[in-house]
PDB file of all heavy atoms in Angstrom:
ATOM      1  N   VAL R 319      10.039  -9.320   3.164  1.00 91.00           N
ATOM      2  CA  VAL R 319      11.033  -9.609   4.190  1.00 91.00           C
ATOM      3  C   VAL R 319      12.303 -10.164   3.555  1.00 91.00           C
ATOM      4  O   VAL R 319      13.420  -9.799   3.934  1.00 91.00           O
ATOM      5  CB  VAL R 319      10.449 -10.619   5.200  1.00 91.00           C
ATOM      6  CG1 VAL R 319      11.447 -10.901   6.298  1.00 91.00           C
ATOM      7  CG2 VAL R 319       9.167 -10.093   5.784  1.00 91.00           C
ATOM      8  N   TRP R 320      12.118 -11.028   2.571  1.00 91.00           N
ATOM      9  CA  TRP R 320      13.241 -11.640   1.858  1.00 91.00           C
ATOM     10  C   TRP R 320      14.143 -10.566   1.270  1.00 91.00           C
ATOM     11  O   TRP R 320      15.372 -10.555   1.465  1.00 91.00           O
ATOM     12  CB  TRP R 320      12.653 -12.545   0.772  1.00 91.00           C
ATOM     13  CG  TRP R 320      13.622 -13.427   0.072  1.00 91.00           C
ATOM     14  CD1 TRP R 320      14.951 -13.559   0.310  1.00 91.00           C
ATOM     15  CD2 TRP R 320      13.310 -14.318  -0.999  1.00 91.00           C
ATOM     16  NE1 TRP R 320      15.490 -14.477  -0.533  1.00 91.00           N
ATOM     17  CE2 TRP R 320      14.511 -14.955  -1.351  1.00 91.00           C
ATOM     18  CE3 TRP R 320      12.131 -14.635  -1.693  1.00 91.00           C
ATOM     19  CZ2 TRP R 320      14.562 -15.890  -2.367  1.00 91.00           C
ATOM     20  CZ3 TRP R 320      12.186 -15.562  -2.701  1.00 91.00           C
ATOM     21  CH2 TRP R 320      13.389 -16.190  -3.030  1.00 91.00           C
ATOM     22  N   VAL R 321      13.514  -9.634   0.523  1.00 91.00           N
ATOM     23  CA  VAL R 321      14.282  -8.552  -0.124  1.00 91.00           C
ATOM     24  C   VAL R 321      14.950  -7.689   0.922  1.00 91.00           C
ATOM     25  O   VAL R 321      16.095  -7.261   0.755  1.00 91.00           O
ATOM     26  CB  VAL R 321      13.352  -7.720  -1.032  1.00 91.00           C
ATOM     27  CG1 VAL R 321      14.028  -6.446  -1.464  1.00 91.00           C
ATOM     28  CG2 VAL R 321      12.942  -8.529  -2.231  1.00 91.00           C
ATOM     29  N   ARG R 322      14.265  -7.451   2.053  1.00 88.00           N
ATOM     30  CA  ARG R 322      14.816  -6.598   3.084  1.00 88.00           C
ATOM     31  C   ARG R 322      16.159  -7.134   3.580  1.00 88.00           C
ATOM     32  O   ARG R 322      17.061  -6.367   3.895  1.00 88.00           O
ATOM     33  CB  ARG R 322      13.830  -6.496   4.237  1.00 88.00           C
ATOM     34  CG  ARG R 322      14.349  -5.594   5.324  1.00 88.00           C
ATOM     35  CD  ARG R 322      13.377  -5.479   6.452  1.00 88.00           C
ATOM     36  NE  ARG R 322      13.980  -4.705   7.526  1.00 88.00           N
ATOM     37  CZ  ARG R 322      13.446  -4.553   8.713  1.00 88.00           C
ATOM     38  NH1 ARG R 322      12.297  -5.099   8.973  1.00 88.00           N
ATOM     39  NH2 ARG R 322      14.055  -3.862   9.623  1.00 88.00           N
ATOM     40  N   TRP R 323      16.281  -8.451   3.660  1.00 87.00           N
ATOM     41  CA  TRP R 323      17.513  -9.029   4.186  1.00 87.00           C
ATOM     42  C   TRP R 323      18.473  -9.448   3.088  1.00 87.00           C
ATOM     43  O   TRP R 323      19.426 -10.155   3.340  1.00 87.00           O
ATOM     44  CB  TRP R 323      17.185 -10.194   5.115  1.00 87.00           C
ATOM     45  CG  TRP R 323      16.500  -9.673   6.302  1.00 87.00           C
ATOM     46  CD1 TRP R 323      15.157  -9.579   6.482  1.00 87.00           C
ATOM     47  CD2 TRP R 323      17.108  -9.064   7.447  1.00 87.00           C
ATOM     48  NE1 TRP R 323      14.895  -8.958   7.664  1.00 87.00           N
ATOM     49  CE2 TRP R 323      16.067  -8.640   8.271  1.00 87.00           C
ATOM     50  CE3 TRP R 323      18.431  -8.835   7.837  1.00 87.00           C
ATOM     51  CZ2 TRP R 323      16.294  -7.999   9.483  1.00 87.00           C
ATOM     52  CZ3 TRP R 323      18.648  -8.200   9.033  1.00 87.00           C
ATOM     53  CH2 TRP R 323      17.590  -7.792   9.849  1.00 87.00           C
ATOM     54  N   THR R 324      18.178  -9.065   1.842  1.00 88.00           N
ATOM     55  CA  THR R 324      19.042  -9.457   0.743  1.00 88.00           C
ATOM     56  C   THR R 324      19.665  -8.260   0.048  1.00 88.00           C
ATOM     57  O   THR R 324      20.857  -8.266  -0.257  1.00 88.00           O
ATOM     58  CB  THR R 324      18.236 -10.263  -0.297  1.00 88.00           C
ATOM     59  OG1 THR R 324      17.495 -11.259   0.385  1.00 88.00           O
ATOM     60  CG2 THR R 324      19.136 -10.928  -1.298  1.00 88.00           C
ATOM     61  N   VAL R 325      18.876  -7.223  -0.206  1.00 88.00           N
ATOM     62  CA  VAL R 325      19.319  -6.118  -1.048  1.00 88.00           C
ATOM     63  C   VAL R 325      19.694  -4.925  -0.177  1.00 88.00           C
ATOM     64  O   VAL R 325      18.956  -4.574   0.731  1.00 88.00           O
ATOM     65  CB  VAL R 325      18.192  -5.710  -2.018  1.00 88.00           C
ATOM     66  CG1 VAL R 325      18.665  -4.641  -2.972  1.00 88.00           C
ATOM     67  CG2 VAL R 325      17.700  -6.911  -2.790  1.00 88.00           C
ATOM     68  N   PRO R 326      20.855  -4.291  -0.429  1.00 85.00           N
ATOM     69  CA  PRO R 326      21.213  -3.105   0.342  1.00 85.00           C
ATOM     70  C   PRO R 326      20.397  -1.887  -0.084  1.00 85.00           C
ATOM     71  O   PRO R 326      19.761  -1.901  -1.142  1.00 85.00           O
ATOM     72  CB  PRO R 326      22.690  -2.909   0.031  1.00 85.00           C
ATOM     73  CG  PRO R 326      22.883  -3.557  -1.279  1.00 85.00           C
ATOM     74  CD  PRO R 326      21.906  -4.672  -1.366  1.00 85.00           C
ATOM     75  N   ARG R 327      20.452  -0.856   0.727  1.00 84.00           N
ATOM     76  CA  ARG R 327      19.659   0.350   0.511  1.00 84.00           C
ATOM     77  C   ARG R 327      20.206   1.166  -0.655  1.00 84.00           C
ATOM     78  O   ARG R 327      21.400   1.236  -0.886  1.00 84.00           O
ATOM     79  CB  ARG R 327      19.712   1.163   1.792  1.00 84.00           C
ATOM     80  CG  ARG R 327      18.862   2.395   1.801  1.00 84.00           C
ATOM     81  CD  ARG R 327      18.979   3.056   3.153  1.00 84.00           C
ATOM     82  NE  ARG R 327      18.483   2.198   4.206  1.00 84.00           N
ATOM     83  CZ  ARG R 327      19.086   2.039   5.383  1.00 84.00           C
ATOM     84  NH1 ARG R 327      20.184   2.685   5.652  1.00 84.00           N
ATOM     85  NH2 ARG R 327      18.581   1.247   6.276  1.00 84.00           N
ATOM     86  N   PHE R 328      19.279   1.817  -1.393  1.00 83.00           N
ATOM     87  CA  PHE R 328      19.670   2.721  -2.474  1.00 83.00           C
ATOM     88  C   PHE R 328      20.179   4.044  -1.901  1.00 83.00           C
ATOM     89  O   PHE R 328      19.915   4.367  -0.753  1.00 83.00           O
ATOM     90  CB  PHE R 328      18.455   3.026  -3.347  1.00 83.00           C
ATOM     91  CG  PHE R 328      18.271   2.095  -4.486  1.00 83.00           C
ATOM     92  CD1 PHE R 328      18.210   0.730  -4.297  1.00 83.00           C
ATOM     93  CD2 PHE R 328      18.149   2.594  -5.768  1.00 83.00           C
ATOM     94  CE1 PHE R 328      18.035  -0.114  -5.365  1.00 83.00           C
ATOM     95  CE2 PHE R 328      17.968   1.747  -6.841  1.00 83.00           C
ATOM     96  CZ  PHE R 328      17.923   0.396  -6.630  1.00 83.00           C
ATOM     97  N   ARG R 329      20.885   4.800  -2.749  1.00 83.00           N
ATOM     98  CA  ARG R 329      21.211   6.175  -2.384  1.00 83.00           C
ATOM     99  C   ARG R 329      20.049   7.047  -2.855  1.00 83.00           C
ATOM    100  O   ARG R 329      19.358   6.691  -3.805  1.00 83.00           O
ATOM    101  CB  ARG R 329      22.500   6.581  -3.080  1.00 83.00           C
ATOM    102  CG  ARG R 329      23.437   7.387  -2.232  1.00 83.00           C
ATOM    103  CD  ARG R 329      24.769   7.493  -2.909  1.00 83.00           C
ATOM    104  NE  ARG R 329      24.598   8.024  -4.278  1.00 83.00           N
ATOM    105  CZ  ARG R 329      25.420   7.746  -5.263  1.00 83.00           C
ATOM    106  NH1 ARG R 329      26.437   6.948  -5.082  1.00 83.00           N
ATOM    107  NH2 ARG R 329      25.225   8.260  -6.470  1.00 83.00           N
TER     108      ARG R 329
END
Side-chain angles (χ1 to χ4, degrees):
Chain R
V319 182
W320 189 3
V321 168
R322 181 179 174 188
W323 293 94
T324 312
V325 185
R327 184 178 298 137
F328 269 54
R329 221 169 54 208

